[in-house]
Amino acid sequence: MFVLRVLSLALATALPSLASACTPGDTGRCIALDGGGDVQVDASLRLRGMYYDPTRFGIQGREDGYGLLRALGSVAAHRGRWDGLLQLGVHAEQGRAGGPGGTDQGALDLQQGFVRWQGDHATWQFGRQEAAYGSSRLLSVRDGPNIRLAFDGVRGRWQHGALKLDVMALRPVDNRSGAFDDRGDRGQYLLGSYATWQRGRPGTGIDLYVLGYGRDGARFASAVGDERRTSLGTRVFVLQPRWDANIELVAQRGTLSRAQGNLAIRAWTLATDSGLRWPARRWQPRLGVKLDIASGDQDPGDGRLNTFNAMYPKSAYFSEASLLAPANLMDVQPTLTLTLRPGLTTDIGWQLAWKHRRSDAVYTTPAPLAAVPGTAGTPRRIGQQYKWETSWEASDHWTWKGQLAWFEAGPGLRAAGGRDTLFASVVGAWQW
């Protein structure tokens, strides 16, 4: 942090044409250039301690506690119709049993690096970039794991009035542990378009999207093969002073190619997140409920694969413990959110979860989907989860989060040797 501050001040001293912050309240240092344009330098640091007892519900997992560090520094430039961003990242892990996971550790590498051209209605962005849409159920920045999800490729946007239409051709980045060795994953791709129509009250509108997804060597509980699926989805979202609603419906079709014969993919999901608000009451309570159904495979021998694949979801969609993926899942989760004072919020939730199809497995996050061994064919009731999450904006630069979850394993996990799971996490995030 100190080094980044010194470097930015040295840059400003070395070039007298540089001025101070462009927009009050911006993070980092935004510097106006003579002749038009500006350059913004900023940095962030996240420290996270995590504890699981056990990992993976105790099925091929055990008690584990470890620390994660994420440091990002970026330089963004704007001149006329052109923008550019260069963001470098260092990611470290300490103490994880069996060594770091695939999204835990990486030496100095390019997190984002792109150029963008902006016209009156159209925008094109080329290079390595993060992408998040809607409620992050299918496409997110994956902020929970240490290394955020980035893609190599191109995105275009056309916007006119209330309508915004994005098109994309992307490959997810394959994170490696060395310096400047991350590459686009040649075994995966994402193609498609995403439209949003918003008019009137902010936070209210409709999404409509079609996304083509490919993954070589995809693994499900009943089959392994090259996955090609298309997702057609819509999302309706409403934000009113006293209530809000978010409803998303997705249908998937495609093929899983195997040496022993192809399987036709026929999957779907329906997810809702709605709540009532009392903004004038003490602590401004929001009483909400999430309802989710994500299809599972009905019969391994019927020539079809019915397991829903959320592709690149927000891993903390159900809780920060990130124990369950939205695949072969039915759940209901009442929540209570309180704003104890400005900058201090707490969220309490209770989740009841079942498998959609008994014949399919329980799946975990993060992407790609991973079936919990031995859970295919077990009883449908997965269990219940209690969560508590609190966020505190301690200053303009620091945010602290505390997270606890207790998952009580049901028959669907216990029949495979699963156990109750305790999760705890403390996060400190600094932004300059």
Side-chain angles (χ1 to χ4, degrees), residues 85-408:
L85 174 69
L86 176 67
Q87 184 180 57
L88 301 180
V90 175
H91 303 84
E93 173 275 335
Q94 182 65 43
R96 185 167 187 164
T103 60
D104 286 344
Q105 183 170 291
L108 184 64
D109 220 316
L110 180 66
Q111 177 64 24
Q112 294 191 85
F114 61 80
V115 294
R116 178 171 54 209
W117 176 85
Q118 300 184 71
D120 294 333
H121 298 290
T123 301
W124 290 98
Q125 187 165 300
F126 305 86
R128 182 164 297 178
Q129 54 198 281
E130 296 177 349
Y133 288 88
S135 54
S136 294
R137 188 174 176 83
L138 298 185
L139 188 57
S140 74
V141 297
R142 195 183 60 190
D143 191 61
N146 208 26
I147 303 178
R148 290 162 62 102
L149 177 62
F151 295 86
D152 287 343
V154 57
R155 284 192 292 163
R157 171 170 293 178
W158 181 84
Q159 187 166 0
H160 184 72
L163 180 63
K164 179 174 62 180
L165 174 65
D166 282 21
V167 294
M168 65 197 78
L170 304 168
R171 290 190 186 276
V173 174
D174 180 17
N175 301 120
R176 305 177 187 182
S177 59
F180 295 105
D181 61 350
D182 291 355
R183 300 289 185 270
D185 188 341
R186 306 298 297 180
Q188 296 189 57
Y189 68 80
L190 181 69
L191 303 170
S193 61
Y194 199 107
T196 300
W197 183 85
Q198 286 185 274
R199 173 171 289 179
R201 183 181 295 274
T204 299
I206 300 174
D207 292 346
L208 181 64
Y209 55 87
V210 56
L211 301 172
Y213 170 80
R215 178 174 53 143
D216 295 341
R219 292 182 173 273
F220 297 89
S222 60
V224 178
D226 293 341
E227 179 183 5
R228 303 290 184 266
R229 74 170 70 204
T230 299
S231 300
L232 177 62
T234 185
R235 184 175 75 102
V236 178
F237 51 101
V238 180
L239 179 60
Q240 297 288 332
R242 295 187 177 276
W243 63 277
D244 59 86
N246 190 329
I247 304 170
E248 191 160 6
L249 175 65
V250 186
Q252 294 182 331
R253 297 175 66 90
T255 303
L256 187 75
S257 301
R258 309 177 302 163
Q260 60 270 44
N262 295 345
L263 296 179
I265 295 175
R266 301 290 186 269
W268 57 275
T269 189
L270 174 63
T272 71
D273 183 2
S274 304
L276 297 174
R277 301 171 180 270
W278 291 269
R281 295 292 183 90
R282 185 184 181 187
W283 297 343
Q284 302 173 35
R286 177 189 182 271
L287 185 60
V289 61
K290 289 183 177 181
L291 298 170
D292 303 273
I293 304 177
S295 64
D297 196 37
Q298 183 172 1
D299 182 356
D302 65 358
R304 292 188 177 188
L305 177 65
N306 305 114
T307 306
F308 181 77
N309 185 352
M311 301 184 296
Y312 306 106
K314 177 182 178 180
S315 57
Y317 183 82
F318 301 113
S319 79
E320 289 292 336
S322 302
L323 295 171
L324 295 175
N328 189 38
L329 183 71
M330 300 171 58
D331 87 299
V332 56
Q333 182 177 163
T335 60
L336 175 63
T337 303
L338 303 172
T339 302
L340 304 180
R341 62 183 179 86
L344 179 62
T345 61
T346 192
D347 186 80
I348 303 168
W350 173 40
Q351 180 189 27
L352 297 167
W354 301 264
K355 294 195 294 183
H356 177 243
R357 298 294 184 185
R358 176 170 182 157
S359 56
D360 206 347
V362 176
Y363 290 87
T364 60
T365 62
L369 283 179
V372 178
T375 56
T378 60
R380 291 179 61 190
R381 189 161 71 86
I382 300 172
Q384 56 185 340
Q385 178 176 204
Y386 306 90
K387 72 170 186 178
W388 168 80
E389 299 168 1
T390 293
S391 177
W392 175 39
E393 296 179 8
S395 69
D396 291 339
H397 299 289
W398 278 101
T399 299
W400 293 92
K401 296 181 179 181
Q403 300 146 354
L404 283 173
W406 171 260
F407 196 100
E408 184 179 295

Side-chain angles (χ1 to χ4, degrees), residues 12-62:
T13 303
L15 299 175
S17 62
L18 301 184
S20 58
C22 303
T23 305
D26 276 357
T27 59
R29 186 176 183 85
C30 184
I31 308 160
L33 300 174
D34 282 347
D38 57 71
V39 173
Q40 181 170 338
V41 181
D42 63 28
S44 65
L45 177 72
R46 189 188 76 163
L47 303 170
R48 186 175 193 183
M50 302 179 70
Y51 175 78
Y52 286 92
D53 184 19
T55 60
R56 295 177 62 84
F57 305 107
I59 303 173
Q60 299 181 355
R62 57 187 176 88

